[in-house]
Amino acid sequence: MRKLPRDHCPRSHTSLTALPIMQYISTRGSAPTLNFEGATLAGLASDGGLYLPAEWPRFSEDDIRAMRELPYPELAARIMAPFVAGSLSEDELGALCEHVYGDFGHAAVTPLVQLNEKHWLLELFHGPTLAFKDVALQMLGRLFETFLERRGEHLTIFGATSGDTGSAAIRAVAGLERVEIFMLHPSGKVSDVQRRQMTTVRAPNVHNLAIAGSFDDAQAHVKAMFADESVTKTLNLGAVNSINWARLMAQVVYYFYAGLQLGAPDRAAAYSVPTGNFGDIFAGYVASKMGLPIEQLIVATNVNDILHRALKDGDYSVGTTMPTITPSMDIQVSSNFERLLFDVGGRDGAAMAEQMRSFEKSNAMQLTNSQRGGASTLFTSGRADQEETARALQWAYRSCAQVIDPHTGVGLHAAQQAKVAGKTPIVTLATAHPAKFPDAVERAIGVRPALPARVGDLFGREEAMVEIPGDYAASRDFVLANASASAN
Ligand SMILES: *Cc1c(COP(=O)(O)O)cnc(C)c1O
């Protein structure tokens, strides 16, 4: 970890103690209002909704101008300050940001790379597991530890993964004292790189379970565990999926980081975002609410295009999920979309609860006029099939000498198709390192990307995991026998 002596850290611009305590409300209107600490530990709200700040903090143009040239960790503390007010002191927040972001594989944390006069890539894959999820999960892990220590509590995290989220979550909590993690993956059904990124993390609080079965089976075990009293009466269970507000908050920072380099607050940019659960792009929406000039947010999807259809025609109806070369976007229901619908639809929790109840019954909904109108002022969308994705990889390689991953390719395709005013730069978010998906990259451009040196010994490290049978009782018994923490 890089640590600066305290007097070398420029003083933060606003004092946290002067900021009003931020309250968090649920999109479905009936869960208790919580502060940042409460919302972070709760994850999902008790009424089934998602937590959002009661109001959007807003920076003036001068505030934003004063952020130019801040190193990433200091920018992160500046952006997050209004959201954590009342739960973290200025010093605690500054130290957390320095600790988390001082440790990335690139000194700029999320470097901005120019492709041509118009197109840029924002590289979000310099964290420990080479995907953008590290930027937020590394922060979430430290936040859990801080708040649990304060409360004298422990948390046991359960998750099922088909690959990426599992490894990022494990790396985020490995070695923490108050958090223990059990991660289930379907045995033999994740890639070698993905499995090794989980199983080579050797820490006493990390348990990898390879279950005989599919990803859906693993997910069903997790669901059953949360509903099983023999587990919940002894363990304080938690989840790390992208419904957690703290993850979105951490992602707002890199929109500012890129925007500032491209001339904010005096010049706007457009962003194209490879989208699955709508978390990453919702962070862009938050950045715009906070005052960052954003001309357009382009929702880029693969053929699993429910969001593209919803934004184009107002039709949010679930289809069957098709497997693609961009597995992290093979999603039909985007949980964070509810946050956008709530905010642009006038923040009516009762109406949102009703709309979601009916959606959960019929697997389809029509957006209201105010939701469509509100979304269309900022959002557009684009869709890429497998061939268009491959062509984007080829263009980046041949015309710009950049090897990009297929998820980024979907984003770049949508960026190239978007109607964006002549002089406005378009930033495509590069969400994964190409070496995470070497087969698809090699098929498209004929070059097999190598793992970066800092993780290059992945295949030489020893693995640890437990193979267990596919029935729920086997998962539960393993967890109860091996969990070291009790609820308090
Ligand atoms: C998770 C993920 C996405 C989708 O991000 P959301 O926040 O779920 O929209 C895109 N690309 C990669 C590589 C991912 O891991």
Side-chain angles (χ1 to χ4, degrees):
M1 181 184 53
R2 197 159 46 81
K3 258 237 163 328
L4 295 171
R6 187 63 203 165
D7 18 311
H8 287 208
C9 297
R11 281 264 124 214
S12 170
H13 177 68
T14 32
S15 160
L16 262 187
T17 44
L19 291 167
I21 294 177
M22 181 60 82
Q23 299 292 340
Y24 289 83
I25 58 169
S26 163
T27 51
R28 301 199 190 171
S30 53
T33 298
L34 298 175
N35 66 7
F36 177 73
E37 175 179 328
T40 300
L41 291 175
L44 196 68
S46 59
D47 58 5
L50 306 172
Y51 276 110
L52 271 187
E55 55 201 59
W56 299 118
R58 199 163 168 93
F59 294 117
S60 70
E61 290 196 0
D62 281 345
D63 289 338
I64 294 174
R65 226 168 258 122
M67 295 173 187
R68 284 181 178 165
E69 294 172 29
L70 284 182
Y72 193 98
E74 286 168 39
L75 178 67
R78 187 85 52 97
I79 304 290
M80 293 181 197
F83 293 117
V84 308
S87 293
L88 289 173
S89 73
E90 190 181 346
D91 282 352
E92 284 172 316
L93 177 62
L96 272 176
C97 290
E98 196 61 52
H99 182 99
V100 168
Y101 298 116
D103 226 16
F104 269 54
H106 194 293
V109 184
T110 63
L112 185 65
V113 173
Q114 185 160 20
L115 292 178
N116 66 14
E117 309 73 30
K118 182 131 193 103
H119 289 279
W120 302 73
L121 285 180
L122 182 61
E123 293 186 351
L124 303 177
F125 51 69
H126 294 281
T129 73
L130 310 178
F132 89 92
K133 291 187 173 68
D134 291 324
V135 179
L137 279 168
Q138 289 286 314
M139 177 56 81
L140 186 65
R142 305 305 312 190
L143 288 169
F144 278 155
E145 187 80 349
T146 304
F147 294 144
L148 290 166
E149 198 171 300
R150 199 179 275 175
R151 294 174 170 215
E153 292 176 5
H154 288 86
L155 188 69
T156 308
I157 291 174
F158 281 108
T161 186
S162 52
D164 278 355
T165 309
S167 55
I170 285 173
R171 282 302 290 262
V173 305
L176 298 183
E177 306 218 323
R178 293 185 173 267
V179 185
E180 184 164 32
I181 189 165
F182 290 84
M183 190 55 68
L184 277 56
H185 72 265
S187 181
K189 298 198 177 77
V190 302
S191 77
D192 285 352
V193 172
Q194 286 175 325
R195 188 192 66 251
R196 286 184 159 274
Q197 281 188 320
M198 297 191 279
T199 58
T200 60
V201 180
R202 309 296 295 274
N205 67 331
V206 170
H207 308 273
N208 277 292
L209 279 66
I211 74 156
S214 66
F215 169 63
D216 289 335
D217 295 332
Q219 208 159 27
H221 290 197
V222 172
K223 253 197 162 153
M225 204 99 61
F226 276 84
D228 185 338
E229 266 190 30
S230 73
V231 180
T232 55
K233 74 169 193 271
T234 49
L235 299 174
N236 183 16
L237 298 190
V240 288
N241 40 24
S242 73
I243 50 156
N244 198 304
W245 163 257
R247 282 183 65 177
L248 304 188
M249 173 189 77
Q251 290 169 214
V252 175
V253 177
Y254 48 68
Y255 286 90
F256 273 89
Y257 190 67
L260 285 161
Q261 288 173 69
L262 294 171
D266 304 310
R267 182 195 194 204
Y271 298 81
S272 179
V273 187
T275 296
N277 243 329
F278 208 77
D280 207 4
I281 196 158
F282 188 76
Y285 174 76
V286 176
S288 123
K289 287 282 170 191
M290 295 176 79
L292 183 71
I294 295 184
E295 185 165 305
Q296 210 179 104
L297 287 170
I298 303 157
V299 178
T301 71
N302 61 26
V303 295
N304 297 295
D305 61 352
I306 180 170
L307 287 168
H308 177 57
R309 284 184 280 117
L311 291 165
K312 206 159 49 75
D313 313 314
D315 165 31
Y316 191 79
S317 55
V318 178
T320 14
T321 310
M322 303 280 292
T324 70
I325 53 170
T326 46
S328 300
M329 297 157 65
D330 291 346
I331 273 175
Q332 284 290 339
V333 180
S334 294
S335 30
N336 284 295
F337 198 46
E338 179 174 338
R339 285 188 159 111
L340 178 71
L341 297 181
F342 174 73
D343 201 51
V344 298
R347 291 198 158 213
D348 181 343
M352 196 70 233
E354 185 51 45
Q355 195 176 10
M356 292 310 293
R357 251 195 308 277
S358 118
F359 170 71
E360 278 154 17
K361 250 185 256 146
S362 61
N363 262 342
M365 69 177 156
Q366 203 55 38
L367 305 198
T368 66
N369 285 339
S370 67
Q371 287 169 337
R372 287 184 70 178
S376 69
T377 58
L378 195 56
F379 289 90
T380 61
S381 61
R383 165 196 197 272
D385 64 23
Q386 220 114 302
E387 198 165 304
E388 291 164 329
T389 306
R391 256 188 272 130
L393 264 66
Q394 288 154 9
W395 180 79
Y397 184 60
R398 291 181 192 146
S399 305
C400 317
Q402 287 288 324
V403 178
I404 62 171
D405 110 284
H407 301 80
T408 310
V410 169
L412 187 57
H413 174 79
Q416 289 173 315
Q417 300 298 311
K419 294 186 188 71
V420 174
K423 289 213 168 90
T424 305
I426 311 182
V427 179
T428 296
L429 273 53
T431 49
H433 191 285
K436 278 204 105 160
F437 303 95
D439 297 332
V441 174
E442 186 172 15
R443 267 197 308 278
I445 63 170
V447 172
R448 194 168 181 84
L451 285 168
R454 74 201 150 84
V455 294
D457 66 341
L458 193 65
F459 285 86
R461 288 186 225 147
E462 217 180 303
E463 292 188 78
M465 64 176 168
V466 184
E467 298 267 0
I468 57 170
D471 56 309
Y472 167 65
S475 291
R476 181 198 55 209
D477 293 347
F478 181 87
V479 165
L480 288 176
N482 291 281
S484 62
S486 60
N488 287 299

